């Protein structure tokens, strides 16, 4: 890991993935809350974030990762199958929410494990 504990590439990547999954969970919850609202268009994290994150990781520069911020965008790929223009499909949102929660749990476990290792290294007696 390069740099300090909180500036290393792995930590920054995990933090950005936690930002991503948190924002995505909010978007999916919003979609479910608006499933019956006529004309509502589903939102999600912009697909540009994943592209930019891959590019930043490829550069190997921690500052490229730390400068990234996920943003919400309207989902232009999903067409409405309803007459009122709402394009939210409850089953799809629930499946995405479950998958996202699993991803979020994985990142949290990774961060907790690393913090435990650090705590052990600091507090253990030689």
């Amino acid at each position: 890991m390069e740099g300090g504990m909180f500036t290393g590439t792995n930590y920054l990547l995990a933090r950005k993935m936690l930002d991503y999954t948190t924002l995505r969970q909010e978007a999916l919850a919003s979609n479910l809350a608006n499933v019956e609202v006529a004309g509502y268009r589903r939102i999600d994290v912009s697909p540009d974030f994943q592209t930019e994150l891959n590019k930043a990781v490829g550069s190997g520069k921690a500052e490229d990762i730390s400068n990234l911020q996920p943003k919400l965008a309207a989902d232009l790929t999903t067409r409405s199958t309803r007459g009122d223009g709402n394009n939210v499909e409850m089953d799809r949102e629930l499946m995405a929410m479950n998958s996202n929660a699993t991803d979020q749990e994985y990142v949290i476990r990774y961060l907790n494990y690393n913090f435990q290792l650090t705590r052990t290294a600091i507090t253990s007696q030689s």
Side-chain angles (χ1 to χ4, degrees), residues 23 28 31 33 42 53 61-62 74 87 99 102-103 120:
L23 187 61
L28 296 169
N31 293 340
R42 78 178 299 277
L53 186 61
K61 297 178 183 174
N87 68 344
S99 175
T102 301
D103 293 345
T120 300

Side-chain angles (χ1 to χ4, degrees), residues 17 20-21 24 98-108:
M17 290 307 298
Y20 169 86
T21 57
R24 184 147 200 251
N98 187 39
S99 175
N100 190 65
T102 301
D103 293 345
Q104 192 172 43
E105 176 75 19
Y106 176 79
V107 173
I108 290 169

Side-chain angles (χ1 to χ4, degrees), residues 5-6 114-126:
M5 179 177 161
F6 298 112
N114 283 289
F115 290 141
Q116 287 172 345
L117 286 177
T118 303
R119 180 181 300 150
T120 300
I122 292 171
T123 60
S124 67
Q125 301 292 322
S126 297

Side-chain angles (χ1 to χ4, degrees), residues 41-88:
R41 307 297 295 172
R42 78 178 299 277
I43 57 173
D44 208 338
V45 176
S46 172
D48 294 343
F49 177 74
Q50 187 67 40
T51 303
E52 293 299 316
L53 186 61
N54 289 340
K55 216 186 309 182
V57 170
S59 79
K61 297 178 183 174
E63 62 272 5
D64 288 349
I65 296 171
S66 65
N67 291 333
L68 289 177
Q69 202 57 32
K71 293 179 179 42
L72 293 178
D75 180 0
L76 303 176
T77 63
T78 305
R79 296 189 185 269
S80 176
T81 57
R82 299 170 20 180
D84 66 3
N86 186 312
N87 68 344
V88 177

